[in-house]
Amino acid sequence: MIPSPATTLEVAIEHKVGPNLSLSVEFQLGREIGVLFGQSGAGKSTLLRLIAGLTRPDSGRIVLDGEVLYDSRARHDAPLWRRGIGMIYQDDLLFPHLSVRENIAFGLAGWSRPGAADRVREVAGLCGVERLLDRRPAMLSGGERQRVGLARAVAPGPRLLLCDEPFSALDLGRRSVLITRLIDLHRSQGIPILHVTHSPSEAVALGGTMLMLDQGRITAVGPPIELLAGQRRPSIPWTPLANVFHAVLEGPLADEGGSLLVLEGGLKLVVPGLDKPAGSAVLVQVRADDILLARGAIPGLSARNQLAGIVERVLSHDHEVEVVVRAGGLAFLVSLVAAAARQLEITAGADVVLIIKARSCRVLEEDESTPAPT
Amino acid sequence: MGDLGPFWLSIKVASVATLLDVALGAPLALLLARGRFPGRSLLAGALTLPLVMPPTVLGYVLLILLGRRSLVGGGLEQVFGVSLVFHWSGGALAAGVAAFPLFLIPARSAFEDVDPMLEDAARLLGRRELSVFLRVTLPLARRGLLAGVVLVFARALGDFGATLMVAGDIPGRTQTASLAIYDAVQVGDNARAGGLSLLISVVSIVALMVAQRGDRSPRTAA
């Protein structure tokens, strides 16, 4: 196994999960997003619990930031409260008797009162729950509960964030938003993340390093999009969560009904008319199979967006091809049928134009009960 | 109605019995709910025994245990110079023992209903055991514990047999309301029996209402 340049987490454990499953894993993780991917029953969640310390491994060693958390030979097992690990769960596990504010502040026991209050406001803003602070968990939607759980886990500034299939109960739109939140948090707070999922689309959307877990063993390590390319089955689409971008609303278009967005990297995108003030921050998503590729700009086209880009990589499956196109600093995932890709000679390095109808651009809402963050 | 002494003594006896049961019952309930050790169900069964035993039998066992010539009773008298027998404190102990399962059973199931994953989540957020207990386990088990407190108090308030066996029926010293009501009926003093009955009933009903009110408010001190 290739060690990451700045290793944060080192895991080498053996653990008998049940009569038919034994975990035997060894891996290292840097400060990137690690995606622990596998089918249900592969031992993903157990592995996460072992790293967190919620279950004691049969034998092995776990080191985080140079500190030994567990070492069966030295009979060392750091207590949970001292591990500095944040965790979010499938059943959010919010404290039902505490308000959202108190939930987020729960891990800030040693902080000064004003310091904790500032920190709660800060992470609430990062997770988009600043308007929910006085509510009880019972009054929140599923997406909101997961965002509060994320804020609670991140507030104390953990050395590692473990995510145990936290978004699997949410619909695609909300999952997209939460994944974007998670990636933003990773960037802004610099917290290494280990995220468990069995959803290929979630893995692709999160990017980073994927660890494939099968029958208790890690079978492959690499970028999700590449590892998944080899094993796609027609029944498992893995692109629905891709192509989510931060954007700012510039304003309505003068002539027609559309609105103009400026994407993170500066690209402009025409989308259906939005009922929001100019300057609003939004998330916009374009489905991978709603994007057309051309080898040059096409005049007189009904589609409103033509964005120039360069093909970064091409991943082939039986009849379909997934193409990553870099345009304006952003990576767009495009799916094509294999024949079209051959005909257009789409290969890495090729200049292409992404053609996107305004109607294919979906502006994501965070949740029904709260509008997208502004 | 006359002398209210027995009524106040009943309140005192029931309060002390409740305190005893909570102080002893809460840790035991937690142990039974969370602990995994051999003999757990045996312990649970033994602690529930007062529920199925006749109060007079319980009282009799206590009387033998606490008597001046017994190991426990004799020791208490030598060390502290007190005897629980024929003293209101013995009555409180007897009432407490008789009512004990009524706290233990709801308290145990209240602790069992607290998701251990929530406690783990609290630990991972940097909380130590005492803090996890005070901030998560206890507030979440509150309903069941409160129900147990009310049941114990009401049961101890009305105890007759066990108290009588241990503390006797000494007017002005160990005569509780239940005993006074019985005596009043024996001598045909219906006004006194009725008055005391009414008072005791009112206290029980108020306790129940207080418990239900505490139940409704979802907030606990943060």
Side-chain angles (χ1 to χ4, degrees):
Chain A
M1 187 152 313
I2 312 143
S4 310
T7 300
T8 307
L9 178 69
E10 294 172 54
V11 176
I13 38 188
E14 307 271 332
H15 186 74
K16 194 166 166 58
V17 184
N20 299 316
L21 182 63
S22 285
L23 275 172
S24 174
V25 294
E26 200 177 333
F27 69 89
Q28 296 174 329
L29 191 68
R31 305 204 70 82
E32 73 262 42
I33 297 184
V35 177
L36 194 56
F37 178 87
Q39 299 308 310
S40 33
K44 308 181 296 287
S45 288
T46 308
L47 181 53
L48 216 60
R49 289 182 59 83
L50 293 169
I51 295 169
L54 299 172
T55 308
R56 183 180 296 187
D58 291 343
S59 69
R61 198 173 136 88
I62 299 166
V63 181
L64 177 61
D65 274 350
E67 188 191 324
V68 178
L69 295 184
Y70 178 76
D71 189 338
S72 55
R73 246 179 282 168
R75 293 175 179 273
H76 176 74
D77 190 8
L80 290 180
W81 61 269
R82 232 179 44 201
R83 292 194 167 213
I85 290 179
M87 191 157 177
I88 53 176
Y89 313 83
Q90 190 168 353
D91 326 311
D92 50 80
L93 291 181
L94 297 179
F95 302 120
H97 59 299
L98 300 178
S99 68
V100 168
R101 187 192 310 279
E102 290 161 340
N103 264 283
I104 298 175
F106 198 87
L108 305 176
W111 293 45
S112 73
R113 210 172 266 262
D118 284 349
R119 182 63 178 163
V120 168
R121 260 194 302 277
E122 185 191 349
V123 292
L126 287 170
C127 299
V129 296
E130 59 271 64
R131 282 176 228 176
L132 311 174
L133 287 174
D134 293 316
R135 295 213 204 153
R136 294 251 157 199
M139 293 161 66
L140 303 177
S141 70
E144 289 169 340
R145 293 171 70 97
Q146 287 298 352
R147 297 207 305 274
V148 173
L150 188 58
R152 182 181 72 173
V154 166
R159 296 184 289 181
L160 173 67
L161 179 65
L162 300 175
C163 310
D164 188 9
E165 307 215 30
F167 311 144
S168 55
L170 304 177
D171 61 40
L172 280 181
R174 270 172 229 177
R175 259 158 82 187
S176 295
V177 178
L178 269 161
I179 286 167
T180 311
R181 288 263 181 214
L182 199 59
I183 295 170
D184 290 348
L185 270 174
H186 175 69
R187 273 193 217 145
S188 68
Q189 306 281 298
I191 305 169
I193 293 175
L194 187 57
H195 182 101
V196 161
T197 185
H198 64 266
S199 151
S201 55
E202 217 171 284
V204 169
L206 279 164
T209 301
M210 184 160 104
L211 308 159
M212 282 256 226
L213 193 67
D214 188 24
Q215 306 263 317
R217 260 149 249 268
I218 290 172
T219 53
V221 179
I225 198 162
E226 281 175 15
L227 295 191
L228 286 165
Q231 43 168 269
R232 183 173 185 189
R233 273 174 278 151
S235 56
I236 312 175
W238 48 265
T239 54
L241 291 170
N243 299 339
V244 180
F245 306 111
H246 285 283
V248 174
L249 178 61
E250 193 161 281
L253 287 176
D255 47 343
E256 312 106 275
S259 292
L260 191 63
L261 296 182
V262 181
L263 300 184
E264 241 173 323
L267 280 180
K268 297 199 169 180
L269 196 68
V270 179
V271 300
L274 284 179
D275 189 19
K276 284 175 188 294
S280 297
V282 294
L283 283 175
V284 62
Q285 180 176 35
V286 190
R287 282 176 42 120
D289 39 9
D290 282 345
I291 303 178
L292 302 178
L293 283 187
R295 291 307 303 264
I298 299 173
L301 194 69
S302 69
R304 312 279 293 270
N305 299 293
Q306 297 201 29
L307 313 172
I310 296 173
V311 173
E312 203 166 79
R313 58 185 130 171
V314 180
L315 304 150
S316 305
H317 319 291
D318 296 344
H319 300 293
E320 266 184 80
V321 170
E322 237 92 35
V323 183
V324 181
V325 176
R326 173 105 11 214
L330 301 173
F332 287 81
L333 192 65
V334 184
S335 347
L336 303 176
V337 290
R342 267 199 308 277
Q343 210 180 353
L344 287 173
E345 292 173 356
I346 303 281
T347 50
D351 287 312
V352 289
V353 172
L354 299 162
I355 300 171
I356 305 167
K357 280 162 73 167
R359 257 202 303 190
S360 303
C361 302
R362 197 157 67 102
V363 172
L364 298 170
E365 296 291 335
E366 191 110 55
D367 245 320
E368 302 114 21
S369 62
T370 40
T374 49
Chain B
M1 191 184 342
D3 178 24
L4 281 181
F7 169 72
W8 292 117
L9 185 64
S10 276
I11 299 283
K12 185 157 87 169
V13 163
S15 303
V16 171
T18 306
L19 283 177
L20 265 174
D21 284 357
V22 171
L24 216 69
L28 279 168
L30 194 63
L31 185 72
L32 289 175
R34 289 274 185 268
R36 294 285 170 270
F37 53 92
R40 190 169 65 118
S41 34
L42 204 68
L43 178 66
L47 292 171
T48 321
L49 222 49
L51 203 59
V52 293
M53 297 231 299
T56 40
V57 175
L58 272 181
Y60 182 60
V61 171
L62 279 173
L63 191 60
I64 290 171
L65 278 175
L66 296 173
R68 292 193 172 171
R69 267 168 287 170
S70 79
L71 203 64
V72 181
L76 277 175
E77 188 162 8
Q78 276 201 334
V79 177
F80 298 106
V82 292
S83 174
L84 298 181
V85 176
F86 300 114
H87 188 263
W88 71 267
S89 58
L93 182 68
V97 169
F100 186 69
L102 293 178
F103 178 76
L104 187 74
I105 293 168
R108 178 187 176 175
S109 70
F111 284 134
E112 276 171 347
D113 285 346
V114 177
D115 185 355
M117 298 273 289
L118 280 176
E119 296 169 330
D120 275 345
R123 290 182 188 107
L124 267 184
L125 285 163
R127 297 301 185 116
R128 304 224 221 170
E129 289 312 308
L130 183 65
S131 179
V132 171
F133 180 73
L134 293 178
R135 292 289 315 272
V136 177
T137 317
L138 202 57
L140 290 177
R142 208 178 51 117
R143 282 161 170 258
L145 296 175
L146 213 58
V149 166
V150 171
L151 283 173
V152 159
F153 184 77
R155 170 70 181 77
L157 200 60
D159 185 66
F160 187 89
T163 316
L164 179 62
M165 292 299 283
V166 177
D169 183 7
I170 310 165
R173 287 181 51 203
T174 67
Q175 190 185 56
T176 59
S178 300
L179 298 170
I181 291 166
Y182 177 78
D183 288 352
V185 172
Q186 291 301 303
V187 299
D189 188 350
N190 282 331
R192 180 162 170 78
L196 281 172
S197 297
L198 189 68
L199 266 179
I200 289 292
S201 308
V202 166
V203 170
S204 301
I205 291 164
V206 167
L208 195 66
M209 276 160 53
V210 167
Q212 276 178 339
R213 200 165 155 208
D215 222 31
R216 249 194 323 238
S217 97
R219 273 195 72 96
T220 45

